[in-house]
Amino acid sequence: MLPIKFDYAAPENLAAAAKLLHENQQARILAGGHSLLTAIKSGLISPSLLIDLKKIPNLQDIKLPQETGGILQIGGMTTYDQVATSSEVQKNYQALAEAANSIGDPQIRNWGRMGDIFAYRDLACDLLAVALVLEATFHLTSANNSRVITADDFISLGIQTQWQIPEILTSIDFPAPISRSGSAYEFLKHPASGYVICGIAVLVELSANDVVDKCSVAVTGATSYPLRLSQLAHRMQGKAPTPKNIATAANLARESITTAQVSNQELTIVADRYASSEYRHHMIGVLTQRALTRALKQTQIP
Ligand SMILES: Cc1cc2nc3c(=O)[nH]c(=O)nc-3n(C[C@H](O)[C@H](O)[C@H](O)COP(=O)(O)OP(=O)(O)OC[C@H]3O[C@@H](n4cnc5c(N)ncnc54)[C@H](O)[C@@H]3O)c2cc1C
């Protein structure tokens, strides 16, 4: 049972939705409703109006790089299942396909929408780590403005505003991968809730002379905020992709996490009844090693 009364609107275009959001400070965007309705039922929030985006055209599309001039564009109302089963995503954005496919169960993936990335005040979100390493950009619209921000800025904005962002996420864009690149998402899930205990997303690019040109690693779930491990990226540059160097990178991932900061906020390693901070810290290294090994395999020219 829903303990409060609220109005409902299903506008047919983005401008009308943005106007409603602007005019009603207590309004909330309704995507699939999984997180939102749970929050209403448990009394965490009491919105006066739900603005359902389902009738707005183009928000539920995946536009392929061939159609957009090189960008993979995922609409805010696209389901996780659409992303996980897209052949383009599976072929060229493996980390994204793997993270989308790891979310919840088939019902959650069939109904949950990409725009729900806004919901994550607890930040145990699989997709934000992938957005960081694949250098996604977020397209936001409000009544007065439209803007594009990077994944790093999106996370900082979320931390600063407690994710109360009075804007509509219209799409998330991913740049085309270069030819000798690979990505992977490795994760450890809570067996009951399915939420991520530790998730590691990796993107690697190899140069023509077979050394690492770029190595981007991000962690989610294990830390208070998802973050990119920048020190590791610098230290891996120019290194040969050998098992020894991968093991070194995994150790570095563990070391660099202890000094990392996001948006000037101290970072803590999460501890709960299921997994201690020491265990999560250890898993950061284990999962980095696995993800790097798999991502590097994709860089091999057949
Ligand atoms: C059983 C269960 C298991 C789960 N497991 C995982 C997991 O393993 N990994 C994981 O990452 N998540 C997990 N989740 C979370 C899941 O991803 C979300 O609950 C679900 O996808 C919510 O999506 P939704 O489309 O239903 O969003 P809604 O509930 O409709 O919206 C959630 C919030 O996002 C805002 N919002 C949604 N779309 C937009 C938009 N386009 N613009 C602006 N604001 C928007 C809404 O206003 C609301 O505040 C799990 C959830 C459940 C219930």
Side-chain angles (χ1 to χ4, degrees), residues 189-195:
K189 293 272 177 166
H190 190 292
S193 71
Y195 279 95

Side-chain angles (χ1 to χ4, degrees), residues 59-258:
L59 284 190
Q60 204 173 328
D61 297 342
I62 298 181
K63 292 209 177 87
L64 302 180
Q66 305 85 283
E67 302 167 65
T68 62
I71 300 283
L72 177 77
Q73 193 175 78
I74 300 179
M77 284 293 276
T78 308
T79 64
Y80 300 130
D81 184 67
Q82 276 177 275
V83 175
T85 57
S86 152
S87 53
E88 172 70 23
V89 178
Q90 287 176 348
K91 184 161 170 259
N92 291 321
Y93 303 84
Q94 288 90 338
L96 178 59
E98 289 166 9
N101 199 42
S102 80
I103 293 174
D105 51 34
Q107 283 155 309
I108 297 290
R109 293 195 290 277
N110 281 334
W111 203 244
R113 317 284 161 149
M114 291 293 281
D116 158 71
I117 215 158
F118 267 118
Y120 280 94
R121 269 168 254 164
D122 63 359
L123 291 174
C125 177
D126 295 279
L127 288 167
L128 284 177
V130 173
L132 282 172
V133 299
L134 298 187
E135 294 176 7
T137 50
F138 291 79
H139 292 241
L140 307 176
T141 289
S142 65
N144 311 318
N145 195 15
S146 285
R147 60 182 178 143
V148 183
I149 60 175
T150 63
D152 296 271
D153 287 344
F154 181 76
I155 291 170
S156 297
L157 177 74
I159 293 168
Q160 285 154 20
T161 61
Q162 298 296 302
W163 302 91
Q164 301 298 327
I165 303 168
E167 290 167 280
I168 299 171
L169 177 67
T170 53
S171 73
I172 307 174
D173 288 6
F174 294 85
I178 67 155
S179 61
R180 294 198 70 192
S181 67
S183 69
Y185 181 65
E186 283 283 338
F187 53 88
L188 181 69
K189 293 272 177 166
H190 190 292
S193 71
Y195 279 95
V196 67
I197 291 165
C198 180
I200 297 284
V202 161
L203 169 79
V204 275
E205 292 174 6
L206 283 200
S207 69
N209 54 344
D210 280 341
V211 296
V212 173
D213 217 10
K214 185 173 184 178
C215 172
S216 195
V217 178
V219 57
T220 189
T223 45
S224 39
Y225 307 111
L227 88 155
R228 188 199 297 282
L229 302 178
S230 311
Q231 287 179 15
L232 193 155
H234 295 307
R235 298 273 290 274
M236 279 301 281
Q237 208 165 14
K239 296 273 189 322
T242 59
K244 190 172 166 224
N245 284 334
I246 294 173
T248 306
N251 284 333
L252 266 172
R254 257 194 298 263
E255 279 168 30
S256 60
I257 207 91
T258 48

